[in-house]
Amino acid sequence: FNDDMKQVTVDGIVVEKLTPIQYNILLFLTKNKGRVFSIDEIYENVWKESANYTVENTVMVHIRNLRRKVERDSKNPSIIKTSWGKGYYCD
């Protein structure tokens, strides 16, 4: 992470076109490695708003798009992992 430039490097390559929300999701998860966060917890920590019933799809779409940008194989993620029924985490 280069927080001054809001850039992420994976395997020595700068990840292009990360949105501010995508950057903040990845930063939040990596700063809390190993801890599983529910969709509501991710939303509340990244968006700084209370979660409501509409946030699930919002977070899931951002995670899916983020995985496409940072993972070698977004269908078998090694950076942003899913704990089924619980949430997301970084190892």
Side-chain angles (χ1 to χ4, degrees):
F1 282 91
N2 180 334
D3 208 31
D4 291 333
M5 298 188 67
K6 304 295 185 216
Q7 284 184 335
V8 174
T9 304
V10 177
D11 295 331
I13 300 168
V14 174
V15 178
E16 298 292 330
K17 301 180 182 176
L18 278 183
T19 68
I21 291 293
Q22 291 168 348
Y23 178 85
N24 288 333
I25 290 170
L26 189 58
L27 183 64
F28 173 70
L29 292 175
T30 57
K31 281 188 172 182
N32 295 283
K33 281 188 178 192
R35 181 168 170 211
V36 177
F37 289 94
S38 70
I39 288 172
D40 288 353
E41 290 173 313
I42 293 170
Y43 186 85
E44 290 171 357
N45 281 282
V46 172
W47 277 261
K48 307 293 186 205
E49 298 175 11
S50 295
N52 58 46
Y53 66 93
T54 63
V55 302
E56 184 172 328
N57 192 51
T58 299
V59 173
M60 289 172 57
V61 168
H62 279 284
I63 296 281
R64 182 177 63 233
N65 291 333
L66 181 56
R67 281 178 168 161
R68 288 180 184 154
K69 294 177 182 180
V70 301
E71 300 281 0
R72 287 184 182 156
D73 178 0
S74 63
K75 295 187 191 239
N76 295 301
S78 63
I79 298 172
I80 303 170
K81 298 183 178 182
T82 302
S83 178
W84 294 107
K86 295 180 183 176
Y88 298 98
Y89 68 100
C90 285
D91 231 359

Tab-separated table of all heavy atoms in Angstrom, residues 31-90:
chain	number	residue	atom	x	y	z
A	31	LYS	N	-5.586	-4.406	7.106
A	31	LYS	CA	-5.166	-3.914	8.424
A	31	LYS	C	-5.692	-4.802	9.542
A	31	LYS	O	-5.204	-4.735	10.662
A	31	LYS	CB	-5.645	-2.473	8.636
A	31	LYS	CG	-4.784	-1.458	7.939
A	31	LYS	CD	-5.193	-0.059	8.333
A	31	LYS	CE	-4.214	0.957	7.779
A	31	LYS	NZ	-4.550	2.331	8.188
A	32	ASN	N	-6.690	-5.607	9.224
A	32	ASN	CA	-7.306	-6.500	10.205
A	32	ASN	C	-7.177	-7.952	9.755
A	32	ASN	O	-8.135	-8.724	9.827
A	32	ASN	CB	-8.778	-6.120	10.390
A	32	ASN	CG	-8.949	-4.752	10.991
A	32	ASN	OD1	-8.775	-4.568	12.177
A	32	ASN	ND2	-9.262	-3.775	10.161
A	33	LYS	N	-5.988	-8.318	9.281
A	33	LYS	CA	-5.757	-9.659	8.731
A	33	LYS	C	-6.240	-10.752	9.667
A	33	LYS	O	-6.031	-10.686	10.872
A	33	LYS	CB	-4.273	-9.869	8.431
A	33	LYS	CG	-3.846	-9.230	7.166
A	33	LYS	CD	-2.430	-9.620	6.816
A	33	LYS	CE	-2.084	-8.960	5.497
A	33	LYS	NZ	-0.878	-9.459	4.933
A	34	GLY	N	-6.891	-11.741	9.055
A	34	GLY	CA	-7.333	-12.902	9.792
A	34	GLY	C	-8.695	-12.753	10.457
A	34	GLY	O	-9.307	-13.740	10.839
A	35	ARG	N	-9.178	-11.543	10.600
A	35	ARG	CA	-10.478	-11.321	11.225
A	35	ARG	C	-11.557	-11.285	10.152
A	35	ARG	O	-11.415	-10.590	9.143
A	35	ARG	CB	-10.484	-10.019	12.009
A	35	ARG	CG	-11.810	-9.786	12.684
A	35	ARG	CD	-11.783	-8.667	13.684
A	35	ARG	NE	-13.162	-8.400	14.063
A	35	ARG	CZ	-13.614	-7.226	14.409
A	35	ARG	NH1	-12.804	-6.187	14.457
A	35	ARG	NH2	-14.880	-7.061	14.738
A	36	VAL	N	-12.625	-12.019	10.368
A	36	VAL	CA	-13.738	-12.068	9.423
A	36	VAL	C	-14.702	-10.938	9.760
A	36	VAL	O	-15.097	-10.764	10.919
A	36	VAL	CB	-14.472	-13.424	9.490
A	36	VAL	CG1	-15.668	-13.439	8.561
A	36	VAL	CG2	-13.512	-14.559	9.163
A	37	PHE	N	-15.072	-10.178	8.727
A	37	PHE	CA	-16.015	-9.079	8.893
A	37	PHE	C	-17.273	-9.350	8.095
A	37	PHE	O	-17.204	-9.724	6.918
A	37	PHE	CB	-15.400	-7.753	8.416
A	37	PHE	CG	-14.332	-7.240	9.325
A	37	PHE	CD1	-13.007	-7.538	9.086
A	37	PHE	CD2	-14.654	-6.470	10.426
A	37	PHE	CE1	-12.009	-7.073	9.921
A	37	PHE	CE2	-13.663	-5.999	11.287
A	37	PHE	CZ	-12.336	-6.307	11.028
A	38	SER	N	-18.409	-9.136	8.728
A	38	SER	CA	-19.685	-9.262	8.022
A	38	SER	C	-19.810	-8.120	7.017
A	38	SER	O	-19.086	-7.120	7.082
A	38	SER	CB	-20.849	-9.203	9.010
A	38	SER	OG	-20.976	-7.889	9.546
A	39	ILE	N	-20.755	-8.270	6.117
A	39	ILE	CA	-21.021	-7.221	5.143
A	39	ILE	C	-21.382	-5.924	5.856
A	39	ILE	O	-20.910	-4.846	5.478
A	39	ILE	CB	-22.116	-7.670	4.163
A	39	ILE	CG1	-21.540	-8.729	3.218
A	39	ILE	CG2	-22.702	-6.500	3.391
A	39	ILE	CD1	-22.545	-9.397	2.315
A	40	ASP	N	-22.216	-6.006	6.887
A	40	ASP	CA	-22.593	-4.806	7.632
A	40	ASP	C	-21.387	-4.137	8.273
A	40	ASP	O	-21.256	-2.909	8.250
A	40	ASP	CB	-23.621	-5.142	8.714
A	40	ASP	CG	-24.996	-5.460	8.156
A	40	ASP	OD1	-25.218	-5.302	6.936
A	40	ASP	OD2	-25.866	-5.874	8.951
A	41	GLU	N	-20.483	-4.938	8.840
A	41	GLU	CA	-19.281	-4.370	9.471
A	41	GLU	C	-18.384	-3.691	8.442
A	41	GLU	O	-17.830	-2.613	8.702
A	41	GLU	CB	-18.496	-5.455	10.200
A	41	GLU	CG	-19.181	-5.969	11.446
A	41	GLU	CD	-18.462	-7.146	12.058
A	41	GLU	OE1	-18.093	-8.097	11.318
A	41	GLU	OE2	-18.279	-7.127	13.289
A	42	ILE	N	-18.231	-4.303	7.289
A	42	ILE	CA	-17.427	-3.681	6.228
A	42	ILE	C	-18.064	-2.363	5.819
A	42	ILE	O	-17.392	-1.338	5.726
A	42	ILE	CB	-17.268	-4.629	5.022
A	42	ILE	CG1	-16.422	-5.840	5.422
A	42	ILE	CG2	-16.660	-3.887	3.829
A	42	ILE	CD1	-16.398	-6.958	4.398
A	43	TYR	N	-19.358	-2.390	5.591
A	43	TYR	CA	-20.064	-1.168	5.178
A	43	TYR	C	-19.883	-0.060	6.216
A	43	TYR	O	-19.530	1.071	5.875
A	43	TYR	CB	-21.547	-1.459	4.951
A	43	TYR	CG	-22.281	-0.273	4.387
A	43	TYR	CD1	-22.299	-0.039	3.009
A	43	TYR	CD2	-22.924	0.632	5.218
A	43	TYR	CE1	-22.943	1.054	2.479
A	43	TYR	CE2	-23.569	1.740	4.696
A	43	TYR	CZ	-23.583	1.947	3.323
A	43	TYR	OH	-24.220	3.054	2.806
A	44	GLU	N	-20.126	-0.377	7.468
A	44	GLU	CA	-20.047	0.644	8.514
A	44	GLU	C	-18.636	1.198	8.685
A	44	GLU	O	-18.461	2.391	8.936
A	44	GLU	CB	-20.569	0.075	9.832
A	44	GLU	CG	-22.072	-0.135	9.780
A	44	GLU	CD	-22.646	-0.894	10.966
A	44	GLU	OE1	-21.878	-1.339	11.848
A	44	GLU	OE2	-23.890	-1.048	10.996
A	45	ASN	N	-17.616	0.362	8.500
A	45	ASN	CA	-16.232	0.815	8.659
A	45	ASN	C	-15.696	1.547	7.440
A	45	ASN	O	-14.822	2.402	7.578
A	45	ASN	CB	-15.328	-0.364	9.008
A	45	ASN	CG	-15.433	-0.739	10.459
A	45	ASN	OD1	-14.857	-0.089	11.310
A	45	ASN	ND2	-16.213	-1.763	10.762
A	46	VAL	N	-16.172	1.212	6.259
A	46	VAL	CA	-15.659	1.842	5.036
A	46	VAL	C	-16.495	3.064	4.650
A	46	VAL	O	-15.954	4.123	4.348
A	46	VAL	CB	-15.588	0.818	3.885
A	46	VAL	CG1	-15.244	1.499	2.565
A	46	VAL	CG2	-14.561	-0.260	4.207
A	47	TRP	N	-17.801	2.931	4.670
A	47	TRP	CA	-18.678	4.027	4.274
A	47	TRP	C	-18.927	5.007	5.422
A	47	TRP	O	-19.406	6.098	5.210
A	47	TRP	CB	-20.010	3.500	3.750
A	47	TRP	CG	-19.998	3.087	2.325
A	47	TRP	CD1	-20.435	3.826	1.252
A	47	TRP	CD2	-19.573	1.838	1.768
A	47	TRP	NE1	-20.299	3.111	0.094
A	47	TRP	CE2	-19.763	1.886	0.382
A	47	TRP	CE3	-19.039	0.674	2.326
A	47	TRP	CZ2	-19.449	0.827	-0.473
A	47	TRP	CZ3	-18.721	-0.377	1.493
A	47	TRP	CH2	-18.923	-0.295	0.111
A	48	LYS	N	-18.647	4.572	6.639
A	48	LYS	CA	-18.862	5.380	7.850
A	48	LYS	C	-20.332	5.757	8.026
A	48	LYS	O	-20.668	6.868	8.420
A	48	LYS	CB	-17.991	6.653	7.844
A	48	LYS	CG	-16.520	6.409	7.620
A	48	LYS	CD	-15.910	5.673	8.773
A	48	LYS	CE	-14.408	5.564	8.583
A	48	LYS	NZ	-13.801	4.484	9.252
A	49	GLU	N	-21.190	4.808	7.709
A	49	GLU	CA	-22.633	4.969	7.874
A	49	GLU	C	-23.197	3.696	8.485
A	49	GLU	O	-22.599	2.634	8.358
A	49	GLU	CB	-23.331	5.172	6.521
A	49	GLU	CG	-22.920	6.394	5.752
A	49	GLU	CD	-23.572	6.451	4.377
A	49	GLU	OE1	-24.496	5.653	4.091
A	49	GLU	OE2	-23.162	7.301	3.589
A	50	SER	N	-24.356	3.814	9.088
A	50	SER	CA	-25.030	2.622	9.606
A	50	SER	C	-25.524	1.779	8.446
A	50	SER	O	-26.043	2.306	7.461
A	50	SER	CB	-26.215	3.016	10.481
A	50	SER	OG	-25.772	3.692	11.620
A	51	ALA	N	-25.360	0.487	8.576
A	51	ALA	CA	-25.817	-0.439	7.540
A	51	ALA	C	-27.331	-0.586	7.616
A	51	ALA	O	-27.927	-0.490	8.684
A	51	ALA	CB	-25.149	-1.794	7.723
A	52	ASN	N	-27.936	-0.810	6.454
A	52	ASN	CA	-29.357	-1.112	6.407
A	52	ASN	C	-29.559	-2.299	5.471
A	52	ASN	O	-28.596	-2.876	4.979
A	52	ASN	CB	-30.170	0.115	5.968
A	52	ASN	CG	-29.751	0.634	4.608
A	52	ASN	OD1	-29.592	-0.144	3.666
A	52	ASN	ND2	-29.566	1.936	4.488
A	53	TYR	N	-30.763	-2.659	5.224
A	53	TYR	CA	-31.046	-3.875	4.446
A	53	TYR	C	-30.578	-3.799	2.991
A	53	TYR	O	-30.499	-4.816	2.326
A	53	TYR	CB	-32.540	-4.205	4.499
A	53	TYR	CG	-33.411	-3.193	3.816
A	53	TYR	CD1	-33.774	-3.349	2.485
A	53	TYR	CD2	-33.877	-2.072	4.504
A	53	TYR	CE1	-34.568	-2.408	1.848
A	53	TYR	CE2	-34.669	-1.136	3.873
A	53	TYR	CZ	-35.015	-1.310	2.543
A	53	TYR	OH	-35.784	-0.375	1.921
A	54	THR	N	-30.221	-2.631	2.496
A	54	THR	CA	-29.830	-2.499	1.091
A	54	THR	C	-28.320	-2.597	0.859
A	54	THR	O	-27.886	-2.576	-0.283
A	54	THR	CB	-30.314	-1.156	0.509
A	54	THR	OG1	-29.667	-0.083	1.209
A	54	THR	CG2	-31.814	-1.008	0.631
A	55	VAL	N	-27.521	-2.707	1.911
A	55	VAL	CA	-26.067	-2.629	1.731
A	55	VAL	C	-25.436	-3.930	1.265
A	55	VAL	O	-24.324	-3.923	0.734
A	55	VAL	CB	-25.350	-2.140	3.013
A	55	VAL	CG1	-25.878	-0.789	3.429
A	55	VAL	CG2	-25.417	-3.144	4.130
A	56	GLU	N	-26.108	-5.050	1.436
A	56	GLU	CA	-25.493	-6.338	1.108
A	56	GLU	C	-25.015	-6.386	-0.339
A	56	GLU	O	-23.863	-6.727	-0.612
A	56	GLU	CB	-26.463	-7.484	1.374
A	56	GLU	CG	-25.825	-8.831	1.125
A	56	GLU	CD	-26.702	-9.989	1.554
A	56	GLU	OE1	-27.463	-9.849	2.522
A	56	GLU	OE2	-26.594	-11.039	0.907
A	57	ASN	N	-25.881	-6.049	-1.269
A	57	ASN	CA	-25.504	-6.091	-2.683
A	57	ASN	C	-24.401	-5.080	-2.992
A	57	ASN	O	-23.484	-5.373	-3.757
A	57	ASN	CB	-26.720	-5.849	-3.572
A	57	ASN	CG	-26.417	-6.167	-5.014
A	57	ASN	OD1	-25.915	-7.228	-5.330
A	57	ASN	ND2	-26.730	-5.232	-5.895
A	58	THR	N	-24.469	-3.915	-2.372
A	58	THR	CA	-23.456	-2.875	-2.600
A	58	THR	C	-22.064	-3.392	-2.244
A	58	THR	O	-21.124	-3.282	-3.032
A	58	THR	CB	-23.776	-1.620	-1.765
A	58	THR	OG1	-25.038	-1.106	-2.176
A	58	THR	CG2	-22.711	-0.556	-1.920
A	59	VAL	N	-21.924	-3.970	-1.073
A	59	VAL	CA	-20.623	-4.473	-0.622
A	59	VAL	C	-20.175	-5.635	-1.497
A	59	VAL	O	-19.015	-5.696	-1.920
A	59	VAL	CB	-20.659	-4.865	0.870
A	59	VAL	CG1	-19.358	-5.542	1.283
A	59	VAL	CG2	-20.935	-3.640	1.733
A	60	MET	N	-21.090	-6.553	-1.795
A	60	MET	CA	-20.728	-7.719	-2.605
A	60	MET	C	-20.240	-7.319	-3.992
A	60	MET	O	-19.271	-7.890	-4.506
A	60	MET	CB	-21.911	-8.672	-2.698
A	60	MET	CG	-22.195	-9.370	-1.378
A	60	MET	SD	-23.719	-10.331	-1.341
A	60	MET	CE	-23.480	-11.442	-2.695
A	61	VAL	N	-20.866	-6.339	-4.607
A	61	VAL	CA	-20.437	-5.873	-5.931
A	61	VAL	C	-19.048	-5.241	-5.845
A	61	VAL	O	-18.186	-5.498	-6.690
A	61	VAL	CB	-21.466	-4.897	-6.534
A	61	VAL	CG1	-20.904	-4.175	-7.750
A	61	VAL	CG2	-22.746	-5.636	-6.898
A	62	HIS	N	-18.807	-4.451	-4.821
A	62	HIS	CA	-17.481	-3.836	-4.658
A	62	HIS	C	-16.411	-4.901	-4.434
A	62	HIS	O	-15.315	-4.807	-5.006
A	62	HIS	CB	-17.478	-2.825	-3.513
A	62	HIS	CG	-18.042	-1.494	-3.887
A	62	HIS	ND1	-17.349	-0.570	-4.635
A	62	HIS	CD2	-19.239	-0.943	-3.636
A	62	HIS	CE1	-18.095	0.498	-4.815
A	62	HIS	NE2	-19.261	0.289	-4.214
A	63	ILE	N	-16.708	-5.911	-3.625
A	63	ILE	CA	-15.747	-7.000	-3.393
A	63	ILE	C	-15.485	-7.748	-4.701
A	63	ILE	O	-14.331	-8.044	-5.039
A	63	ILE	CB	-16.265	-7.971	-2.315
A	63	ILE	CG1	-16.386	-7.283	-0.960
A	63	ILE	CG2	-15.390	-9.236	-2.251
A	63	ILE	CD1	-15.115	-7.104	-0.187
A	64	ARG	N	-16.532	-8.059	-5.451
A	64	ARG	CA	-16.366	-8.778	-6.719
A	64	ARG	C	-15.486	-7.978	-7.685
A	64	ARG	O	-14.542	-8.515	-8.287
A	64	ARG	CB	-17.724	-9.074	-7.358
A	64	ARG	CG	-17.588	-9.858	-8.669
A	64	ARG	CD	-18.923	-10.220	-9.274
A	64	ARG	NE	-19.662	-9.021	-9.643
A	64	ARG	CZ	-20.917	-8.760	-9.255
A	64	ARG	NH1	-21.576	-9.590	-8.483
A	64	ARG	NH2	-21.507	-7.660	-9.639
A	65	ASN	N	-15.753	-6.684	-7.825
A	65	ASN	CA	-14.953	-5.850	-8.723
A	65	ASN	C	-13.521	-5.689	-8.221
A	65	ASN	O	-12.579	-5.668	-9.019
A	65	ASN	CB	-15.626	-4.490	-8.914
A	65	ASN	CG	-16.902	-4.597	-9.703
A	65	ASN	OD1	-17.082	-5.505	-10.519
A	65	ASN	ND2	-17.827	-3.680	-9.467
A	66	LEU	N	-13.358	-5.595	-6.925
A	66	LEU	CA	-12.023	-5.496	-6.337
A	66	LEU	C	-11.224	-6.769	-6.601
A	66	LEU	O	-10.056	-6.713	-6.978
A	66	LEU	CB	-12.151	-5.223	-4.838
A	66	LEU	CG	-10.879	-5.066	-4.032
A	66	LEU	CD1	-9.990	-3.971	-4.606
A	66	LEU	CD2	-11.229	-4.772	-2.577
A	67	ARG	N	-11.866	-7.909	-6.439
A	67	ARG	CA	-11.186	-9.180	-6.717
A	67	ARG	C	-10.737	-9.254	-8.172
A	67	ARG	O	-9.662	-9.777	-8.463
A	67	ARG	CB	-12.102	-10.355	-6.402
A	67	ARG	CG	-12.195	-10.675	-4.935
A	67	ARG	CD	-13.150	-11.798	-4.692
A	67	ARG	NE	-13.049	-12.301	-3.332
A	67	ARG	CZ	-13.988	-13.017	-2.758
A	67	ARG	NH1	-15.101	-13.329	-3.405
A	67	ARG	NH2	-13.834	-13.444	-1.517
A	68	ARG	N	-11.538	-8.775	-9.086
A	68	ARG	CA	-11.145	-8.785	-10.503
A	68	ARG	C	-9.866	-7.988	-10.740
A	68	ARG	O	-9.107	-8.289	-11.658
A	68	ARG	CB	-12.268	-8.212	-11.365
A	68	ARG	CG	-13.448	-9.122	-11.498
A	68	ARG	CD	-14.509	-8.504	-12.366
A	68	ARG	NE	-15.684	-9.355	-12.423
A	68	ARG	CZ	-16.895	-8.919	-12.661
A	68	ARG	NH1	-17.122	-7.632	-12.875
A	68	ARG	NH2	-17.913	-9.754	-12.696
A	69	LYS	N	-9.637	-6.985	-9.932
A	69	LYS	CA	-8.474	-6.126	-10.115
A	69	LYS	C	-7.231	-6.626	-9.387
A	69	LYS	O	-6.120	-6.416	-9.866
A	69	LYS	CB	-8.802	-4.699	-9.653
A	69	LYS	CG	-9.849	-4.032	-10.526
A	69	LYS	CD	-10.196	-2.664	-10.012
A	69	LYS	CE	-11.289	-2.025	-10.866
A	69	LYS	NZ	-11.635	-0.676	-10.379
A	70	VAL	N	-7.400	-7.273	-8.228
A	70	VAL	CA	-6.219	-7.622	-7.426
A	70	VAL	C	-5.867	-9.104	-7.405
A	70	VAL	O	-4.741	-9.455	-7.058
A	70	VAL	CB	-6.334	-7.117	-5.965
A	70	VAL	CG1	-6.510	-5.615	-5.924
A	70	VAL	CG2	-7.439	-7.817	-5.204
A	71	GLU	N	-6.802	-9.958	-7.752
A	71	GLU	CA	-6.553	-11.399	-7.684
A	71	GLU	C	-6.026	-11.931	-9.014
A	71	GLU	O	-6.431	-11.453	-10.074
A	71	GLU	CB	-7.845	-12.157	-7.345
A	71	GLU	CG	-8.468	-11.784	-6.015
A	71	GLU	CD	-7.785	-12.432	-4.825
A	71	GLU	OE1	-6.804	-13.182	-5.000
A	71	GLU	OE2	-8.266	-12.166	-3.708
A	72	ARG	N	-5.152	-12.920	-8.949
A	72	ARG	CA	-4.722	-13.610	-10.172
A	72	ARG	C	-5.893	-14.344	-10.788
A	72	ARG	O	-6.063	-14.375	-11.996
A	72	ARG	CB	-3.609	-14.602	-9.857
A	72	ARG	CG	-2.306	-13.945	-9.567
A	72	ARG	CD	-1.242	-14.997	-9.374
A	72	ARG	NE	0.010	-14.336	-9.052
A	72	ARG	CZ	0.982	-14.902	-8.400
A	72	ARG	NH1	0.877	-16.148	-7.980
A	72	ARG	NH2	2.090	-14.252	-8.154
A	73	ASP	N	-6.686	-14.990	-9.946
A	73	ASP	CA	-7.869	-15.730	-10.377
A	73	ASP	C	-9.003	-15.322	-9.440
A	73	ASP	O	-9.086	-15.812	-8.311
A	73	ASP	CB	-7.613	-17.234	-10.303
A	73	ASP	CG	-8.813	-18.074	-10.701
A	73	ASP	OD1	-9.870	-17.504	-11.051
A	73	ASP	OD2	-8.694	-19.309	-10.658
A	74	SER	N	-9.872	-14.439	-9.905
A	74	SER	CA	-10.912	-13.904	-9.030
A	74	SER	C	-11.919	-14.959	-8.580
A	74	SER	O	-12.624	-14.770	-7.600
A	74	SER	CB	-11.643	-12.742	-9.713
A	74	SER	OG	-12.303	-13.179	-10.879
A	75	LYS	N	-11.970	-16.096	-9.281
A	75	LYS	CA	-12.886	-17.169	-8.874
A	75	LYS	C	-12.279	-18.051	-7.784
A	75	LYS	O	-12.986	-18.807	-7.131
A	75	LYS	CB	-13.297	-17.990	-10.081
A	75	LYS	CG	-14.115	-17.165	-11.058
A	75	LYS	CD	-14.676	-17.980	-12.172
A	75	LYS	CE	-15.215	-17.028	-13.202
A	75	LYS	NZ	-16.557	-17.140	-13.497
A	76	ASN	N	-10.975	-17.960	-7.606
A	76	ASN	CA	-10.264	-18.670	-6.542
A	76	ASN	C	-9.369	-17.666	-5.817
A	76	ASN	O	-8.145	-17.703	-5.963
A	76	ASN	CB	-9.432	-19.820	-7.120
A	76	ASN	CG	-10.303	-20.879	-7.741
A	76	ASN	OD1	-11.140	-21.455	-7.067
A	76	ASN	ND2	-10.133	-21.108	-9.026
A	77	PRO	N	-9.978	-16.759	-5.074
A	77	PRO	CA	-9.208	-15.657	-4.488
A	77	PRO	C	-8.193	-16.100	-3.441
A	77	PRO	O	-8.450	-17.009	-2.653
A	77	PRO	CB	-10.291	-14.767	-3.860
A	77	PRO	CG	-11.462	-15.650	-3.669
A	77	PRO	CD	-11.385	-16.701	-4.721
A	78	SER	N	-7.060	-15.434	-3.459
A	78	SER	CA	-6.023	-15.711	-2.461
A	78	SER	C	-5.774	-14.496	-1.568
A	78	SER	O	-5.081	-14.606	-0.576
A	78	SER	CB	-4.720	-16.118	-3.153
A	78	SER	OG	-4.241	-15.058	-3.945
A	79	ILE	N	-6.346	-13.348	-1.927
A	79	ILE	CA	-6.148	-12.129	-1.141
A	79	ILE	C	-7.386	-11.823	-0.313
A	79	ILE	O	-7.316	-11.717	0.904
A	79	ILE	CB	-5.782	-10.938	-2.059
A	79	ILE	CG1	-4.459	-11.221	-2.779
A	79	ILE	CG2	-5.696	-9.639	-1.253
A	79	ILE	CD1	-4.090	-10.226	-3.839
A	80	ILE	N	-8.521	-11.686	-0.952
A	80	ILE	CA	-9.789	-11.424	-0.258
A	80	ILE	C	-10.573	-12.727	-0.240
A	80	ILE	O	-11.040	-13.195	-1.269
A	80	ILE	CB	-10.600	-10.325	-0.956
A	80	ILE	CG1	-9.791	-9.050	-1.066
A	80	ILE	CG2	-11.908	-10.078	-0.193
A	80	ILE	CD1	-10.433	-8.003	-1.946
A	81	LYS	N	-10.690	-13.295	0.935
A	81	LYS	CA	-11.326	-14.600	1.068
A	81	LYS	C	-12.721	-14.472	1.670
A	81	LYS	O	-13.029	-13.494	2.335
A	81	LYS	CB	-10.454	-15.513	1.911
A	81	LYS	CG	-9.098	-15.751	1.256
A	81	LYS	CD	-8.273	-16.707	2.043
A	81	LYS	CE	-6.957	-16.942	1.326
A	81	LYS	NZ	-6.120	-17.899	2.009
A	82	THR	N	-13.517	-15.498	1.431
A	82	THR	CA	-14.873	-15.548	1.954
A	82	THR	C	-14.968	-16.620	3.030
A	82	THR	O	-14.477	-17.729	2.844
A	82	THR	CB	-15.874	-15.905	0.830
A	82	THR	OG1	-15.769	-14.930	-0.208
A	82	THR	CG2	-17.298	-15.941	1.353
A	83	SER	N	-15.578	-16.259	4.128
A	83	SER	CA	-15.950	-17.232	5.145
A	83	SER	C	-17.462	-17.379	4.993
A	83	SER	O	-18.225	-16.491	5.393
A	83	SER	CB	-15.584	-16.719	6.543
A	83	SER	OG	-15.987	-17.644	7.513
A	84	TRP	N	-17.881	-18.449	4.347
A	84	TRP	CA	-19.282	-18.608	3.956
A	84	TRP	C	-20.232	-18.443	5.133
A	84	TRP	O	-20.049	-19.044	6.169
A	84	TRP	CB	-19.492	-19.947	3.257
A	84	TRP	CG	-18.761	-19.970	1.956
A	84	TRP	CD1	-17.611	-20.663	1.672
A	84	TRP	CD2	-19.061	-19.216	0.790
A	84	TRP	NE1	-17.196	-20.387	0.396
A	84	TRP	CE2	-18.068	-19.502	-0.169
A	84	TRP	CE3	-20.064	-18.324	0.450
A	84	TRP	CZ2	-18.060	-18.926	-1.440
A	84	TRP	CZ3	-20.057	-17.748	-0.811
A	84	TRP	CH2	-19.059	-18.055	-1.746
A	85	GLY	N	-21.210	-17.566	4.918
A	85	GLY	CA	-22.212	-17.294	5.935
A	85	GLY	C	-21.768	-16.314	7.000
A	85	GLY	O	-22.550	-15.930	7.856
A	86	LYS	N	-20.492	-15.896	6.936
A	86	LYS	CA	-19.966	-14.982	7.953
A	86	LYS	C	-19.492	-13.654	7.374
A	86	LYS	O	-19.779	-12.610	7.919
A	86	LYS	CB	-18.820	-15.654	8.717
A	86	LYS	CG	-19.269	-16.858	9.512
A	86	LYS	CD	-18.102	-17.481	10.233
A	86	LYS	CE	-18.568	-18.737	10.963
A	86	LYS	NZ	-17.460	-19.446	11.600
A	87	GLY	N	-18.702	-13.702	6.297
A	87	GLY	CA	-18.203	-12.463	5.729
A	87	GLY	C	-16.908	-12.636	4.959
A	87	GLY	O	-16.636	-13.701	4.411
A	88	TYR	N	-16.110	-11.593	4.953
A	88	TYR	CA	-14.880	-11.543	4.168
A	88	TYR	C	-13.693	-11.257	5.075
A	88	TYR	O	-13.817	-10.627	6.131
A	88	TYR	CB	-14.966	-10.435	3.124
A	88	TYR	CG	-16.068	-10.638	2.120
A	88	TYR	CD1	-17.291	-9.992	2.264
A	88	TYR	CD2	-15.890	-11.475	1.026
A	88	TYR	CE1	-18.307	-10.170	1.329
A	88	TYR	CE2	-16.902	-11.658	0.097
A	88	TYR	CZ	-18.101	-11.006	0.259
A	88	TYR	OH	-19.100	-11.188	-0.659
A	89	TYR	N	-12.507	-11.692	4.604
A	89	TYR	CA	-11.283	-11.440	5.353
A	89	TYR	C	-10.075	-11.531	4.426
A	89	TYR	O	-10.161	-12.046	3.320
A	89	TYR	CB	-11.132	-12.425	6.505
A	89	TYR	CG	-10.892	-13.852	6.078
A	89	TYR	CD1	-9.614	-14.402	6.087
A	89	TYR	CD2	-11.944	-14.668	5.655
A	89	TYR	CE1	-9.394	-15.724	5.699
A	89	TYR	CE2	-11.739	-15.981	5.274
A	89	TYR	CZ	-10.458	-16.501	5.297
A	89	TYR	OH	-10.245	-17.796	4.907
A	90	CYS	N	-8.962	-10.991	4.901
A	90	CYS	CA	-7.665	-11.159	4.228
A	90	CYS	C	-6.811	-12.007	5.150
A	90	CYS	O	-6.839	-11.847	6.357
A	90	CYS	CB	-6.993	-9.826	3.976
A	90	CYS	SG	-7.703	-8.880	2.633
